């Protein structure tokens, strides 16, 4: 029906708004990737337009974030031009009780990790169904790999007990290509007992650029939920 309010969409907007509200004037902001973060970027633009927020500069983590930032009038800068990032806002595909994350559903996790790890404060925006007791229970672990190394990397991952699969494009024949020109392997692990250890082990495989485990990076997790048909935002 037209005119019907989608509570999930409203909830994502509310979480995005809550994160955008934490940004102060005169700061450098990491702009994450994904549907919930897109609303945060939109609300940052609204705050700039209204004059409530002034003099911020954004550092996008993906082509998507860059396009949205330009659309909503957020001035952009680069890591070459700044010496710090005050705050980063980004989504996640899974969040465990220790605030460790799996990211990379949008294949932007390498740039996201660079930006989110540099930020003084990293705010994660998610909806309630992204919360898990253990990482890897609902979402495959993305690993970005340079194209020539795909086969040896997949073999190495199998030796670690993972089941790797090359991520294929949607509405594009062939594999997904990241903003860096690499490929993504999605890996199923039966259980990720030690995310910190696995993150290092995977990144030590020659040809792996970065994986989607974000351990000890998140400072604040804002969770959107729909209760009694109403969107609510709570902090983890």
């Amino acid at each position: 029906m037209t005119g019907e309010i989608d509570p999930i969409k409203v909830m994502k907007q509310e979480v995005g708004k809550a994160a955008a509200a934490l940004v102060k004037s005169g700061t450098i902001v990491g702009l994450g990737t994904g549907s919930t973060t897109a609303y945060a970027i939109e609300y940052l633009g609204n705050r700039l337009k209204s004059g409530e927020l002034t003099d911020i500069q954004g550092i996008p983590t993906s082509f998507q974030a860059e396009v949205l930032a330009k659309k909503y009038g957020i001035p952009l800068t680069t890591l070459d031009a700044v010496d710090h990032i005050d705050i980063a806002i980004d989504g996640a595909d899974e969040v465990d009780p220790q605030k460790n994350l799996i990211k990379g559903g949008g294949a932007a996790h390498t740039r996201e990790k660079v930006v989110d790890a540099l930020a003084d404060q990293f705010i994660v925006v998610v909806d309630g169904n992204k919360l898990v007791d253990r990482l890897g229970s609902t979402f495959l672990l993305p690993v970005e790999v340079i194209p020539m190394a795909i086969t040896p990397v997949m073999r190495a991952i199998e030796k670690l007990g993972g089941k790797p699969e090359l991520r294929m494009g949607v509405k594009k024949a062939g594999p997904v290509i990241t903003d860096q020109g690499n490929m993504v392997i999605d890996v199923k692990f039966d259980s990720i007992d030690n995310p910190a250890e696995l993150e290092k082990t995977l990144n030590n495989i020659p040809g792996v650029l970065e994986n989607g485990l974000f351990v000890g990076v998140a400072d604040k997790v804002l969770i959107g939920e729909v209760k009694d048909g109403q969107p609510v935002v709570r902090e983890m």
Side-chain angles (χ1 to χ4, degrees):
M1 269 165 49
T2 50
E4 201 171 283
I5 294 167
D6 174 5
I8 305 275
K9 183 182 168 188
V10 176
M11 176 264 292
K12 286 187 171 195
Q13 288 171 323
E14 290 302 318
V15 182
K17 200 184 274 188
L22 297 169
V23 174
K24 298 182 173 78
S25 292
T27 55
I28 294 158
V29 188
L31 305 172
T33 307
S35 57
T36 310
T37 317
Y39 290 119
I41 294 173
E42 181 181 346
Y43 286 114
L44 280 176
N46 292 349
R47 289 186 67 199
L48 281 171
K49 217 177 273 143
S50 71
E52 178 199 332
L53 193 62
T54 55
D55 185 34
I56 68 163
Q57 287 181 296
I59 295 191
T61 56
S62 63
F63 188 61
Q64 182 216 20
E66 191 177 323
V67 169
L68 286 170
K70 286 174 179 166
K71 178 178 172 181
Y72 294 116
I74 299 170
L76 295 176
T77 185
T78 64
L79 291 174
D80 294 329
V82 299
D83 62 358
H84 72 287
I85 298 172
D86 296 291
I87 186 170
I89 300 168
D90 211 343
D93 299 299
E94 281 190 347
V95 183
D96 77 4
Q98 287 75 48
K99 295 184 187 159
N100 296 321
L101 320 172
I102 284 184
K103 291 173 55 49
H109 57 278
T110 299
R111 282 172 66 173
E112 289 170 342
K113 200 180 278 192
V114 171
V115 170
D116 298 344
L118 281 171
D120 296 336
Q121 191 182 30
F122 171 30
I123 313 289
V124 181
V125 289
V126 288
D127 48 85
N129 62 20
K130 304 288 171 68
L131 303 180
V132 295
D133 291 332
R134 292 170 79 125
L135 292 181
S137 42
T138 59
F139 203 83
L140 301 177
L141 176 61
V143 180
E144 182 166 347
V145 182
I146 65 170
M148 68 164 282
I150 281 293
T151 304
V153 167
M154 285 174 95
R155 282 194 197 119
I157 286 172
E158 279 168 357
K159 284 202 182 108
L160 294 173
K163 296 182 190 69
E165 231 174 70
L166 186 61
R167 187 182 300 181
M168 303 310 277
V170 177
K171 297 189 179 177
K172 168 201 177 289
V176 167
I177 303 297
T178 68
D179 289 356
Q180 290 75 242
N182 298 312
M183 294 177 189
V184 175
I185 294 171
D186 289 308
V187 186
K188 172 73 183 146
F189 284 99
D190 287 334
S191 74
I192 297 175
D193 301 320
N194 187 334
E197 197 59 38
L198 184 60
E199 181 180 21
K200 290 193 189 85
T201 303
L202 287 169
N203 281 358
N204 273 336
I205 299 171
V208 169
L209 186 59
E210 188 55 84
N211 70 80
L213 285 165
F214 283 51
V215 178
V217 186
D219 296 302
K220 195 187 278 248
V221 179
L222 297 177
I223 303 152
E225 290 169 325
V226 178
K227 288 206 170 131
D228 305 322
Q230 294 300 309
V232 290
V233 177
R234 66 181 172 94
E235 191 179 325
M236 186 169 177

